[in-house]
Each structure stands twice: as structure tokens, then as C-alpha cells.
Amino acid sequence: DAEITQSPRHKITETGRQVTLACHQTWNHNNMFWYRQDLGHGLRLIHYSYGVQDTNKGEVSDGYSVSRSNTEDLPLTLESAASSQTSVYFCASSRDTRTEAFFGQGTRLTVV
Amino acid sequence: QKEVEQNSGPLSVPEGAIASLNCTYSDRGSQSFFWYRQYSGKSPELIMFIYSNGDKEDGRFTAQLNKASQYVSLLIRDSQPSDSATYLCAVTRGGYQKVTFGIGTKLQVIP
């Protein structure tokens, strides 16, 4: 069955370190998204991609970067982790915006 | 003004009652509307989507859309304790490949 997976599921890192969260989907979807979810804010869009070599900034992109070298993967990199980036991160993919987005299981990141 | 607004709740309803969840949005150009359910510690999963004004029914769930008033609602009939979750309203605007989410309404169904 097609699926979308994130790794790691849990990560603790120190302030200032570079961290990469992986997202892999086998739906062959062109659209992929990264969100963070915080209490009181809901899901906020970090970056998104329409397809290979395409990346776009979302609502809260500062301190984050993504790259899209193939259809299946959209890794999210925190260039220099900050405590404010402690959050639950969700990756999602969709065929188009008139169909549902499928979410990964989430990654709980703690920056200490 | 937030693009998508929801009351965070919690909304408490007795088992068997109708739960009514509401969402308003600010962008009149919005064209697609989604309701996601999220259990605690889990990822969001799609419950329903609606594109046209009116009602759309799927089992115990009914989505209602009123574009003139810019609101979308989700009714859950015969609420069950297993419906206890946070319900996220999501909105997209045609031509933009992204979805904007509300903060979600926490629903508690009391046995």
C-alpha cells in the first residue's frame, strides 16, 4: 500500500545543531508539505513543493529549508536549531488541492 | 484576523447527541474545504471535503458550506465516545497548492 513515512519519530537535539527530518511518500504525489503543530496555533505551513526542484516558503519558513530532488522525498532541515523550534512536525502529500492530503505520523522534535 | 477560525473548545456533548462544529474563513476566493479528525498524539485524517454550497452527507457526518457567509460546519449525528478528538477545518484557494488550517475544535463525547 502507498504511504507516507517520517523519520525519526522522536528527536532531541541541542541548540545550534543542524537537524534534518525525513519525509518519504510512495503515493507518487507531486505536492508535498511540511507543517509544524503547536498548542494554540494549530498546523502552520513551513514549506511546500509542487514537484521536483520546486520549493516554496510557507507561513513560518524562517530557520528552515527544504529540497526536492525526487518525487518521493522532501527533507526538512533546521539550519541551526532553536528552542522555539521545539514542536511536532508533520509532512503531508496530495495529488492536488481538490483531493485530500495524506499525513505522515509526525516527528516530535525537542531542542534543548 | 486569522484566515481560518475555529473555537478551540472543548465542546462537550452526551453520547447519542448531535455535535456541531463550526469554522469561518476570511478569503472569499476559497474554493475547497476539508474537515480533518486528529486523535491525541496522532496525525490528521480526512473526514470530509466539500466544494459547493449546501450540505454533503457521509454516514453520520454532514458538512455544510455557506460561501456567502463564509462558514463551513461539520455535524456529527449519534455522537460516540470514539468521536472524541480534535477536528481541524482546512481551506484552500484555487490556484494555490496549499491548505490553511484552523486551530481545531476539541470534541468530547460523554458516555
Side-chain angles (χ1 to χ4, degrees):
Chain A
D1 286 345
E3 59 181 4
I4 179 167
T5 56
Q6 294 181 232
S7 62
R9 295 293 311 278
H10 302 272
K11 175 78 175 177
I12 300 174
T13 191
E14 295 177 345
T15 301
R17 287 192 178 271
Q18 184 181 79
V19 177
T20 296
L21 309 183
C23 176
H24 178 81
Q25 54 99 1
T26 58
W27 299 101
N28 201 35
H29 287 162
N30 285 327
N31 303 326
M32 295 186 72
F33 313 88
W34 273 103
Y35 294 90
R36 60 177 290 175
Q37 188 173 37
D38 305 286
L39 195 64
H41 290 281
L43 282 159
R44 291 182 291 175
L45 184 65
I46 304 171
H47 282 285
Y48 60 102
S49 169
Y50 295 164
V52 177
Q53 301 302 327
D54 176 80
T55 62
N56 305 277
K57 294 181 178 181
E59 178 186 357
V60 290
S61 60
D62 287 349
Y64 303 94
S65 63
V66 294
S67 61
R68 189 86 179 272
S69 59
N70 58 54
T71 300
E72 297 79 16
D73 299 290
L74 187 70
L76 177 71
T77 298
L78 287 69
E79 303 295 342
S80 177
S83 58
S84 60
Q85 295 176 308
T86 293
S87 186
V88 178
Y89 291 85
F90 286 102
C91 178
S93 72
S94 70
R95 180 168 56 85
D96 59 59
T97 53
R98 290 183 68 81
T99 60
E100 68 177 298
F102 294 91
F103 283 81
Q105 323 95 302
T107 295
R108 183 173 296 275
L109 176 68
T110 303
V111 182
V112 298
Chain B
Q1 181 186 9
K2 290 184 179 179
E3 293 182 47
V4 179
E5 295 209 43
Q6 296 181 259
N7 187 319
S8 61
L11 173 66
S12 295
V13 300
E15 183 175 354
I18 295 175
S20 178
L21 304 163
N22 300 311
C23 170
T24 59
Y25 59 94
S26 60
D27 186 351
R28 284 195 171 273
S30 300
Q31 296 184 342
S32 304
F33 307 86
F34 304 85
W35 282 101
Y36 283 83
R37 177 177 63 199
Q38 186 176 23
Y39 292 113
S40 180
K42 302 296 184 181
S43 59
E45 56 180 338
L46 185 72
I47 297 295
M48 294 196 67
F49 60 86
I50 186 167
Y51 308 138
S52 304
N53 275 329
D55 295 359
K56 180 180 179 181
E57 187 174 318
D58 184 1
R60 297 187 295 113
F61 299 95
T62 298
Q64 300 176 319
L65 176 60
N66 184 323
K67 289 186 177 181
S69 299
Q70 295 176 245
Y71 82 80
V72 57
S73 61
L74 180 70
L75 302 179
I76 306 174
R77 290 181 299 280
D78 187 24
S79 295
Q80 301 297 309
S82 60
D83 295 324
S84 297
T86 297
Y87 290 80
L88 307 174
C89 173
V91 175
T92 69
R93 194 181 199 279
Y96 291 91
Q97 302 288 310
K98 69 180 182 75
V99 172
T100 301
F101 286 83
I103 64 171
T105 298
K106 185 174 184 178
L107 173 66
Q108 296 177 338
V109 181
I110 311 301

